[in-house]
Amino acid sequence: MSTLREYLTHKRAALLARREKPADGPVPLRASVTAEGRSGVRRIRIREHQIISDSAADFAGYDLGPGSPELQAGVLGSCVTHIFLIKAAELEVPLDALSVDVSATYDPRAQAPGESGIPVHPQDFRYVVKIDSPASDEELARLHAEVERVCPILNLIRNPQDIKGEIVRA
């Protein structure tokens, strides 16, 4: 049976190999989302993968997948988890188990007329990392500090940027 420590050995080898031949520059990221006609289900396509996003029944959905604010919490958890794996491999911090729980709040009343004081975005993000490791508290604190320093999605939420949008007739 393969263990997380064995995986970290493979992750470290991949990380070191990737550093041998760094990328030429920024890597484009693309996603395409289509709303289905009869259900309103959103099909998110990224490379060869598909994720379904939907609303709960009380908002004319079929609850076939998480809503966008829930997906954001999941994306943060996925990124924090992945960066913990990368940094654990890089710093050679042994991990036997790793999980991340993310919570946030979202108030749908923000979209109602006259509710201008309520933020329209998820807020109060928090994450809890559960680690089983023989590493010292100091090693885990260093690992956590490195994750906080380089996690792309964590830092995007902390340091938002301008996003440009446009409409094109189909």
Side-chain angles (χ1 to χ4, degrees):
M1 176 182 230
S2 187
T3 66
L4 190 53
R5 284 196 211 183
E6 290 171 354
Y7 171 76
L8 290 175
T9 300
H10 296 292
K11 189 68 156 180
R12 181 171 172 74
L15 177 65
L16 295 174
R18 192 175 223 194
R19 286 187 178 159
E20 290 282 322
K21 49 182 182 169
D24 293 335
V27 176
L29 305 175
R30 300 202 190 304
S32 177
V33 182
T34 305
E36 296 295 320
R38 293 190 310 197
S39 66
V41 166
R42 280 88 58 206
R43 294 186 184 276
I44 304 166
R45 290 180 177 85
I46 302 168
R47 291 185 285 127
E48 298 83 31
H49 308 285
Q50 178 174 274
I51 302 165
I52 294 198
S53 179
D54 195 10
S55 301
D58 68 347
F59 203 37
Y62 296 92
D63 207 14
L64 298 174
S68 299
E70 295 165 310
L71 283 169
Q72 183 61 55
V75 167
L76 174 60
S78 175
C79 195
V80 168
T81 302
H82 189 219
I83 301 302
F84 258 96
L85 293 171
I86 291 169
K87 288 299 178 179
E90 178 183 30
L91 300 172
E92 298 184 284
V93 175
L95 301 178
D96 293 321
L98 171 68
S99 66
V100 176
D101 292 326
V102 175
S103 63
T105 58
Y106 172 71
D107 193 337
R109 296 176 301 168
Q111 297 180 27
E115 294 292 347
S116 62
I118 300 173
V120 297
H121 53 80
Q123 58 187 351
D124 301 323
F125 281 91
R126 300 198 183 308
Y127 69 90
V128 175
V129 181
K130 297 174 186 167
I131 291 180
D132 182 9
S133 172
S136 70
D137 289 345
E138 293 78 19
E139 289 173 304
L140 293 179
R142 180 173 174 232
L143 173 61
H144 187 211
E146 277 296 293
V147 169
E148 293 250 326
R149 185 179 70 79
V150 302
C151 181
I153 301 303
L154 177 63
N155 284 290
L156 174 63
I157 292 171
R158 285 186 174 151
N159 306 298
Q161 60 179 308
D162 290 333
I163 299 173
K164 296 173 180 79
E166 66 180 282
I167 295 177
V168 176
R169 290 189 184 269

